[in-house]
Amino acid sequence: GPLHEWLGDPACREIIVNAFDEIFVDSGAGVARADAGFLGRASYEAWAARTAHAAGRRLDLQHPICEATLANGARFHAVMPPVSARGLAVSIRRFGSAPLDERTALASGWLEPEALELLRTAVLDRKNIVISGGTSTGKTSLMNFLCRYLPPDERVVTVEDTVELSLPIKNVVQLQARSANADGVGQVTLRQLVQCALRLRPDRILVGECRGAEVLDMLQALNTGHPGSLTTVHANSTEEALARLELLALLGAPNLSIECIREWIASSVELVIQVSRLQDGRR
């Protein structure tokens, strides 16, 4: 439909649809309104339901919220009435916006030479790294970029909600969380997957995003023979990133003291990288 042009454009990072005639696109220079639109509301709603069904999900009155992975790897998120008061809202986020090589990264200002050398050395020295930033700032893109420095003889296990990481090594196991089906069964959480990853003999564990009780298991992994692991967390600064790790750990283990959790984090996390997005869309 009207989104075909942008879905085929490698520069397109995100497509936001607020209504059948209200489409916004982010092609790297910030969010801008597009001229195109669907034929009407019925056409727009049918497209969204069809897209969800093709991804193995449902979008209807009984399931008004849908999150799915499209065939091209993009993340599809839709919310329909009565949850969305103004009508059906859809967001499609594409991945792979990180520079393909170091030369492009430096030339575009995506990274400074000193930062590039620091990060490369940190990965090779097996430092435990947390990448912090807000929504759509490029956390996963940076993690993908850092994966180029992983030694080819290591075994890596990734844990993600949606598969976004693309690793250049062969000995990789990629675990993906799963939502419950229409009958409310079959859910597989990130915490279960992190626990599973510990039993798969990884040299490193990569968790796409820590946002719940899986933080406890991730910290355990960092302290039990898996140095060089990476994860991301939503935060506006490095200080807030550490505070968020504390909060998530407390939610998962309320019986632990804050002092104990802080010591745990201090002995586990060796580097916190803050990423941000400028007003013009640059990361």
Side-chain angles (χ1 to χ4, degrees), residues 228-246:
S229 297
L230 293 90
T231 188
T232 73
V233 65
H234 270 84
N236 294 321
S237 68
T238 52
E239 293 84 359
E240 288 186 21
L242 296 175
R244 182 164 175 78
L245 291 177
E246 289 180 9

Side-chain angles (χ1 to χ4, degrees), residues 60-62 64 79-86:
D60 49 39
L61 290 176
Q62 290 184 327
V79 186
M80 65 174 291
V83 177
S84 177
R86 288 189 57 208

